[in-house]
Amino acid sequence: MPSSGLLVFLLVLHANLKFSLSLGVSERIWNYNYTRYHPMDEISSWMDSVEEQNPKLVTSLVYGQTFEKRDIKLLKFGLPDPGGLEKKAVWVDCGIHAREWIAPAFCQWFVKEILQSYNESDVRLTKFLQKIDLYVTPVLNVDGYMFSWTNQSTRLWRKSRSLPPQGCGCHGVDLNRNFNANWGTVGVSTDCCSNTYCGVSPASEPEAKAVTDFVGTRVEQFLCYLTIHSSGQLILLPYGHPQITAPNYEELVSVGKAAASEMKKLYGMEYRVGTSPQILYANSGSSRDWARLLGIPFSYTFELRDKGEFGHLLPEDQIKPACEEAYVGVTSILSYVYDKNFPNDKLPTAAATACVHATGLIVMTTLATLLVTLGSV
Amino acid sequence: MSPALMRVLWVVVLLSAVRGAPLGTVTPPPVILEPVPSVPVPSEPVRVDSGADQNISIPIHTEQQQQQQQQQQVALDVDVMLTGELNPNHYPARRAAQVVLHHLNTRYGSPYWWGALRQVHKATAEALGDSGRKYSLEVTLQDQISGTKETCTAEVVFPGGPAGGPPQVTTSYEGKSEINTQAQEEALYNQYNTSQNLLSGHNLPDSYGHVAPGMEPFWHLGGVASSFVMLKESSENTLYNMAQVVSVTQLATENNQLRFNYDVLLHEMVSQEIIHWKLLASWSPQEGVKASQMELLPKCHHCEPPQEH
């Protein structure tokens, strides 16, 4: 009967509009809780399901092993380039320091946003991924991260979990002092018990070596290198050494400031932008510096929330706003990098994309309504 | 098939197109809660140059960088002490401003007022010869509890000489503006000013950043009491925050002061170390917070719990 058909139509329309227009789309795609911290085994399972469910978009890659012989795994997002050209690449890693739990939480959030946009046929994302492969490592320092989950007394562990070197009694190396970038010169300790212990030699640690080998053998492809940390609300540009300046310093500052400005629009949070020796402290052997030295033009460290009130123990109810902020900051940089490298094929603006979606929705529902109405006449 | 059903099917088909799945319908993946054994996915082989020598420097881009590679280790300390107008966003001004914060927390902090540094507006530094260095600052603080902001000027003197000693701070701050915490403070004081059920607590915040609502005042109190330690330990080469209250245990009230043994972890940003202190905090609404019996606990190198494999 026409009236029951109409009733079903209205119910289905209501449900679909509600889902499509609400931010709950991600929950519909996934039942994974992105606003809680997850232990490593849950993150690994989640990575498996991301890959399984999106075979045309995602592949995972094990690119090394930690000291304790665990896989270091990334998710590679990419689409075939219609022109068949060689792809460029962007690197994002999280969790190089074990206790900075908001960083892996951000990588998981970032992946969710990519999948959500992909499922909505977001034109900007499609264009981006056709030209640029996105390599995301949700947890780089797997051993350290797992150790920080052991019990309350290990929560604030920072380093890897390598065995003590000869003549010294403590575990672990500060992986972000171990890269081959002015290694061992400033902002480090040679005491293995120190939290800024830089290791026995550059890239001596398997975690640092894994990144060095993977990115190092593909360096011409990489346009951008982002490493995610907490806390402090900072966007750090190379170099950590106070007397060395990156050749594109001015551009790095302006792109960083644009990102910080986007981040501030969300919740009013200030992110300071500058080199580490300017706004934080001098340091050497960081992955960000190594990437810039290699020639990767845009290399940044993000220090996410907060400014010391909770520090590394950021409450779970701040995961969503912290990740939303970080997301707009990261995408601001990625959009700039894309437009700079593909100036003849720039990304459409976000407003234009939303307009297209809204128009499509209106057209389709009008047609559906007409069809039902005509059918019931 | 009935015409009504046909119509319903049309509608469903059309509306699924509205969701815009480019490659067909989107199948929600199953919820995976049990850990799945991780199988390394065969991938493009990671090409490792077996001849790579880790001691060879990465090709560097400027002459300046070349020189730096050959220079000796640069000390961790600030070796070029700036004087005059400072960039308020850079670390020398920020570290001095943090000292102002610690000072104000020792003077005005309570279970219901705990300041955080919000902004550094202006900063200058001056060398005082043997007496050390003096910073003049204009800062905005924010109470972490009510969110109210206060702006003030301050001077911080970091003493010179081998003895060092804690920084000396003076400010223009005259007291909190009208957020009246008095009622809350009195209520808390009266509630705990009995020998029955002495309070105790652990891990504030816990690993997930959570503090139970009833424990929040004691977390704040721990932060304020820690400010006494952080103030006396601060220098131009440090930036302290309290990372966590490991434990708080109430002792019997004495001289009308509530008293608590605190075990706290401080985070020192420059070294990235977590530093363990014990202290005795006493508090009343009239007297404010005082800290005594402050004791540094040695870093325990051999105290790591057994690892799970």
Side-chain angles (χ1 to χ4, degrees):
Chain A
M1 280 165 50
S3 59
S4 71
L6 188 62
L7 182 65
V8 171
F9 160 72
L10 285 169
L11 285 170
V12 171
L13 176 65
H14 172 78
N16 276 292
L17 279 175
K18 190 177 163 189
F19 276 124
S20 299
L21 297 177
S22 82
L23 294 173
V25 175
S26 61
E27 274 68 54
R28 177 167 63 87
I29 294 171
W30 250 297
N31 287 328
Y32 191 76
N33 193 334
Y34 295 90
T35 61
R36 303 298 293 267
Y37 295 118
H38 291 274
M40 195 63 216
D41 58 343
E42 289 176 14
I43 297 176
S44 298
S45 308
W46 166 83
M47 288 176 75
D48 290 342
S49 43
V50 168
E51 185 184 14
E52 265 167 48
Q53 297 300 323
N54 299 277
K56 295 190 179 180
L57 176 66
V58 191
T59 23
S60 73
L61 262 156
V62 173
Y63 62 99
Q65 300 224 294
T66 64
F67 186 87
E68 291 175 345
K69 301 280 178 271
R70 298 188 174 94
D71 286 342
I72 307 175
K73 203 181 210 182
L74 59 78
L75 294 172
K76 175 185 175 184
F77 295 83
L79 295 169
D81 181 358
L85 297 171
E86 202 208 329
K87 303 288 291 290
K88 291 297 185 183
V90 164
W91 178 270
V92 179
D93 69 60
C94 295
I96 197 174
H97 288 140
R99 61 192 181 201
E100 299 168 11
W101 285 12
I102 187 61
F106 170 68
C107 268
Q108 292 163 72
W109 183 277
F110 183 48
V111 166
K112 164 189 68 87
E113 288 295 316
I114 294 167
L115 295 173
Q116 187 172 326
S117 301
Y118 176 70
N119 284 320
E120 292 167 356
S121 305
D122 185 286
V123 178
R124 285 166 60 81
L125 179 73
T126 305
K127 256 177 142 42
F128 185 95
L129 291 177
Q130 283 173 344
K131 294 275 192 289
I132 301 179
D133 288 330
L134 184 55
Y135 293 90
V136 180
T137 300
V139 184
L140 177 52
N141 179 8
V142 180
D143 295 349
Y145 186 72
M146 291 181 71
F147 186 69
S148 74
W149 277 80
T150 307
N151 60 44
Q152 301 272 14
S153 77
T154 64
R155 173 63 177 84
L156 291 172
W157 186 260
R158 169 180 167 90
K159 299 187 287 183
S160 68
R161 289 299 299 167
S162 57
L163 288 173
Q166 193 80 326
C168 185
C170 301
H171 287 73
V173 171
D174 185 344
L175 296 174
N176 206 36
R177 301 289 184 276
N178 186 242
F179 282 77
N180 191 359
N182 304 297
W183 178 86
T185 53
V186 64
V188 298
S189 174
T190 50
D191 175 0
C192 82
C193 293
S194 159
N195 260 349
T196 55
Y197 173 55
C198 57
V200 296
S201 62
S204 57
E205 301 313 295
E207 297 87 352
K209 186 164 192 314
V211 176
T212 299
D213 289 343
F214 187 86
V215 176
T217 49
R218 296 167 174 75
V219 63
E220 315 76 33
Q221 287 173 36
F222 277 94
L223 302 175
C224 182
Y225 186 100
L226 301 177
T227 179
I228 315 295
H229 294 240
S230 78
S231 63
Q233 295 180 206
L234 307 170
I235 298 176
L236 300 171
L237 31 126
Y239 288 103
H241 196 294
Q243 277 129 42
I244 308 175
T245 308
N248 59 339
Y249 170 80
E250 298 294 347
E251 192 181 19
L252 285 169
V253 170
S254 84
V255 172
K257 286 192 167 171
S261 156
E262 290 303 306
M263 293 170 88
K264 186 172 176 179
K265 287 178 187 170
L266 287 188
Y267 298 102
M269 289 296 181
E270 302 267 2
Y271 280 72
R272 287 183 291 139
V273 179
T275 66
S276 197
Q278 288 170 343
I279 61 176
L280 185 60
Y281 44 56
N283 69 352
S284 59
S286 69
S287 61
R288 166 204 68 228
D289 283 2
W290 169 80
R292 177 60 269 210
L293 272 176
L294 223 54
I296 299 172
F298 292 92
S299 186
Y300 292 95
T301 308
F302 274 77
E303 295 280 358
L304 302 185
R305 289 191 188 187
D306 61 15
K307 285 169 145 179
E309 296 90 327
F310 289 92
H312 301 300
L313 305 179
L314 194 71
E316 287 180 311
D317 64 15
Q318 285 198 48
I319 291 178
K320 178 172 181 289
C323 288
E324 287 172 332
E325 263 164 26
Y327 180 73
V328 300
V330 165
T331 52
S332 166
I333 293 175
L334 296 186
S335 300
Y336 179 89
V337 167
Y338 178 98
D339 284 345
K340 181 178 174 138
N341 285 276
F342 304 102
N344 299 321
D345 196 11
K346 291 200 175 181
L347 295 173
T349 63
T353 321
C355 210
V356 166
H357 282 307
T359 313
L361 188 66
I362 291 165
V363 166
M364 293 314 292
T365 48
T366 310
L367 278 174
T369 316
L370 274 173
L371 211 72
V372 170
T373 317
L374 291 171
S376 57
V377 162
Chain B
M1 226 186 280
S2 77
L5 188 58
M6 280 294 290
R7 263 179 260 128
V8 169
L9 282 174
W10 266 113
V11 166
V12 170
V13 165
L14 281 170
L15 286 174
S16 56
V18 166
R19 263 181 269 148
L23 306 168
T25 51
V26 175
T27 329
V31 177
I32 298 176
L33 293 177
E34 308 87 45
V36 172
S38 110
V39 175
V41 175
S43 62
E44 32 188 314
V46 175
R47 286 173 284 122
V48 177
D49 181 358
S50 56
D53 179 350
Q54 289 172 349
N55 290 324
I56 294 174
S57 305
I58 301 283
I60 41 190
H61 293 251
T62 71
E63 246 177 40
Q64 246 188 336
Q65 290 163 5
Q66 194 109 40
Q67 283 161 11
Q68 293 312 323
Q69 294 283 355
Q70 280 132 35
Q71 273 187 8
Q72 290 173 354
Q73 277 204 4
V74 177
L76 182 62
D77 294 356
V78 175
D79 57 311
V80 176
M81 295 292 202
L82 297 171
T83 55
E85 197 79 31
L86 302 178
N87 186 321
N89 283 322
H90 288 190
Y91 76 75
R94 291 262 146 180
R95 290 180 195 176
Q98 192 84 342
V99 174
V100 174
L101 170 71
H102 296 320
H103 165 84
L104 288 174
N105 274 325
T106 64
R107 299 288 298 276
Y108 299 100
S110 85
Y112 293 99
W113 197 93
W114 188 21
L117 180 64
R118 208 71 285 157
Q119 185 92 337
V120 182
H121 302 285
K122 279 201 294 233
T124 58
E126 195 186 322
L128 303 175
D130 288 339
S131 315
R133 284 169 51 81
K134 180 168 83 168
Y135 288 76
S136 302
L137 305 147
E138 187 185 318
V139 302
T140 294
L141 294 192
Q142 184 172 31
D143 170 28
Q144 294 181 47
I145 299 152
S146 67
T148 50
K149 295 185 188 168
E150 314 279 350
T151 301
C152 69
T153 58
E155 279 183 1
V156 180
V157 175
F158 292 104
Q168 304 300 316
V169 185
T170 53
T171 75
S172 66
Y173 190 72
E174 271 159 22
K176 300 174 289 241
S177 52
E178 292 328 298
I179 279 288
N180 202 334
T181 58
Q182 195 173 351
Q184 290 166 294
E185 293 188 23
E186 300 274 343
L188 189 76
Y189 179 84
N190 292 329
Q191 183 184 353
Y192 287 95
N193 186 22
T194 102
S195 354
Q196 319 284 62
N197 299 324
L198 294 174
L199 172 113
S200 74
H202 294 88
N203 299 310
L204 314 173
D206 68 12
S207 292
Y208 307 92
H210 186 250
V211 181
M215 292 305 294
E216 279 174 337
F218 302 100
W219 170 48
H220 306 151
L221 180 60
V224 170
S226 295
S227 300
F228 286 84
V229 177
M230 297 192 284
L231 178 61
K232 81 177 180 74
E233 294 294 303
S234 286
S235 73
E236 289 169 285
N237 300 314
T238 61
L239 187 84
Y240 276 100
N241 283 291
M242 183 184 76
Q244 190 183 48
V245 171
V246 177
S247 72
V248 51
T249 313
Q250 187 177 6
L251 306 175
T253 300
E254 211 172 83
N255 299 327
N256 295 320
Q257 307 301 300
L258 300 190
R259 299 187 313 146
F260 303 86
N261 268 332
Y262 271 95
D263 224 324
V264 295
L265 297 177
L266 306 182
H267 175 237
E268 199 290 292
M269 181 71 85
V270 181
S271 63
Q272 291 291 351
E273 295 297 336
I274 301 295
I275 310 174
H276 199 165
W277 283 82
K278 278 173 113 72
L279 56 91
L280 176 63
S282 61
W283 171 69
S284 69
Q286 297 78 24
E287 297 294 314
V289 180
K290 300 281 178 277
S292 60
Q293 298 178 27
M294 295 175 273
E295 187 191 335
L296 171 67
L297 297 179
K299 192 169 165 180
C300 182
H301 296 321
H302 306 290
C303 297
E304 295 169 358
Q307 296 185 58
E308 326 270 305
H309 282 279

